[in-house]
Amino acid sequence: MTLSPLDDYPVHQIPEVMRHVGTSDRNFYDRYYFNAFPVSGDAMLIVGIGQYPNLGVTDAFALLRHKSAHRVVRASRELGADRMDTRIGPFTVTVIEGLKRLRVTLEPNEYGLSFDLTWDGVIPAQVEPQHFIRWQERVTFDSKRLAQTGRWTGLINIDGEKLAVNPDQWWGTRDRSWGIRPVGEPEPPGIQGKSFNTFYGMYAPVQFEDHSVLCILQEDDKGRRVLEEAVRVPNDGREPEYLGRPEYRPVYAEGTRDVLSATLGFSPPRGKPFDVAITPLLPVHLMVGTGYGLESDWRHGMYQGPDLVVQGVSLDLANPDDAGRMWGLVDAAARFEYDGHVGYGLFEYFAIGDHPSFDE
């Protein structure tokens, strides 16, 4: 049983050293997610760094969509005893001030993408509702997440082209989530082979000048809400306002489930109803090359061997074959408008399988 520096802090939750979590479920994870984009919507960077204590793995990815490039750098190593060590090859996340300021870096490497960025939160970090799904008797999702909007400062380098990142133009959102969700190598399916084939969800954390709106929803194949939240959070730290049950009205490109535009409807219990118009500016296919499950040889938490592994994936969306690989969950930089307010944020959406909105 190995101690780590974190054991010297009075933060233990169970009678174990801090490197061990309170469940033996192989699918426990602990993860950072960041996105950064200029409000012009002509580029978007997405970064994820995760630890999987019961699999003994930690990994990271960075995905930049810029011009026609879909560029990914990803890395994996054994987790080791010290969970405070977030370095994974060229990747590092440093908490400068908890829940407020973080530094995210990708050192120069052979794959042409690097950056050194500092995040400053604009609103206090918000805790979202528990995400819990039991399927075929097994708990498949049981996770908690915090969310925050903010601004970025620093530099991104893509193939020698330097993108200056300043907080006036480069906005973004981040989250920290931990708990149980499917990770690592595929398991023997058993009864889980009767897997549900529906995912219908939308996530929109958006920043306006003096407040943010955080909205999330997920529904099953009957249209029942599995997860929902909608709050308006002032920048000045005042109590968030609950916005009631959110309504999501997407407009799809004909014959597809690609969203051209969308409307979010809110009915605050103590305020007037309002609609937010969403205009996607730059769609980024988060699942391609990053480990979210499309590639059989690289999934979050998958063991890549005893030594550090760093890889790159480079696709050119001007090439029809590469463009044809863009599938799955979309994280789009988007513009949001309501009642004279104009904001920018993440518009994440995915619709696959049966859902009442697709009935003939």
Side-chain angles (χ1 to χ4, degrees):
M1 187 167 298
T2 305
L3 294 170
S4 71
L6 194 54
D7 283 296
D8 239 350
Y9 294 85
V11 294
H12 293 82
Q13 303 292 307
I14 59 172
E16 268 286 8
V17 295
M18 284 299 295
R19 65 178 297 198
H20 297 310
V21 297
T23 174
S24 61
D25 193 316
R26 71 184 297 278
N27 287 329
F28 187 90
Y29 77 102
D30 205 339
R31 182 166 198 83
Y32 294 93
Y33 165 95
F34 304 91
N35 64 58
F37 52 86
V39 295
S40 59
D42 54 11
M44 189 174 189
L45 175 70
I46 302 173
V47 182
I49 293 182
Q51 295 185 353
Y52 314 90
N54 294 335
L55 298 176
V57 171
T58 181
D59 55 28
F61 74 86
L63 162 60
L64 179 68
R65 170 75 193 275
H66 178 55
K67 298 178 181 177
S68 65
H70 178 104
R71 182 70 53 83
V72 176
V73 180
R74 60 197 188 190
S76 175
R77 66 168 172 84
E78 292 185 352
L79 178 58
D82 185 3
R83 293 188 59 199
M84 295 182 71
D85 179 7
T86 63
R87 176 174 289 276
I88 308 164
F91 289 91
T92 308
V93 169
T94 303
V95 178
I96 300 171
E97 181 182 350
L99 303 182
K100 176 62 180 175
R101 171 174 266 209
L102 296 90
R103 183 183 178 198
V104 187
T105 58
L106 173 59
E107 296 170 357
N109 56 80
E110 62 182 293
Y111 303 107
L113 173 62
S114 61
F115 50 81
D116 189 340
L117 300 171
T118 298
W119 163 271
D120 285 288
V122 169
I123 61 170
Q126 303 294 303
V127 178
E128 295 178 352
Q130 198 89 356
H131 189 194
F132 183 90
I133 298 176
R134 185 185 297 275
W135 178 253
Q136 300 292 352
E137 313 308 327
R138 182 174 179 180
V139 174
T140 54
F141 287 86
D142 187 8
S143 60
K144 182 68 73 176
R145 184 163 68 176
L146 66 82
Q148 189 175 42
T149 58
R151 308 283 181 98
W152 291 97
T153 305
L155 187 70
I156 299 171
N157 191 316
I158 173 71
D159 294 333
E161 180 181 354
K162 292 179 171 56
L163 306 180
V165 175
N166 63 75
D168 291 336
Q169 292 296 313
W170 282 77
W171 297 18
T173 67
R174 77 172 184 109
D175 67 57
R176 279 274 295 113
S177 63
W178 57 94
I180 293 167
R181 72 178 184 191
V183 294
E185 292 80 357
E187 298 182 69
I191 196 171
Q192 296 294 317
K194 298 167 63 176
S195 177
F196 56 91
N197 295 312
T198 293
F199 186 95
Y200 184 87
M202 187 283 312
Y203 181 43
V206 51
Q207 180 180 169
F208 299 92
E209 281 301 328
D210 62 356
H211 68 282
S212 293
V213 171
L214 308 179
C215 179
I216 187 169
L217 63 87
Q218 183 181 333
E219 297 179 353
D220 67 11
D221 59 345
K222 304 295 190 299
R224 295 172 297 204
R225 290 282 167 91
V226 176
L227 177 67
E228 72 171 30
E229 177 74 317
V231 292
R232 181 159 42 193
V233 186
N235 290 2
D236 60 12
R238 284 177 294 150
E239 183 177 355
E241 176 190 9
Y242 172 58
L243 297 178
R245 177 184 172 89
E247 295 299 329
Y248 173 49
R249 301 187 291 274
V251 176
Y252 294 102
E254 185 176 358
T256 77
R257 295 184 182 182
D258 294 327
V259 179
L260 298 176
S261 64
T263 302
L264 289 175
F266 300 107
S267 298
R270 296 184 178 180
K272 69 174 184 177
F274 64 97
D275 286 347
V276 177
I278 306 174
T279 304
L281 301 175
L282 185 68
V284 180
H285 287 79
L286 176 63
M287 301 173 74
V288 180
T290 58
Y292 280 89
L294 295 188
E295 292 86 14
S296 61
D297 62 340
W298 192 283
R299 295 165 53 114
H300 294 163
M302 178 178 284
Y303 184 56
Q304 300 293 335
D307 300 320
L308 170 71
V309 176
V310 182
Q311 297 180 353
V313 176
S314 183
L315 301 175
D316 182 357
L317 302 190
N319 180 326
D321 290 337
D322 286 354
R325 293 179 58 183
M326 297 298 113
W327 184 86
L329 184 70
V330 173
D331 274 17
R335 182 173 65 249
F336 298 75
E337 301 173 78
Y338 82 97
D339 294 348
H341 300 286
V342 177
Y344 298 89
L346 170 67
F347 175 45
E348 179 179 275
Y349 62 87
F350 191 26
I352 185 171
D354 296 331
H355 188 267
S357 63
F358 301 116
D359 290 344
E360 297 293 334

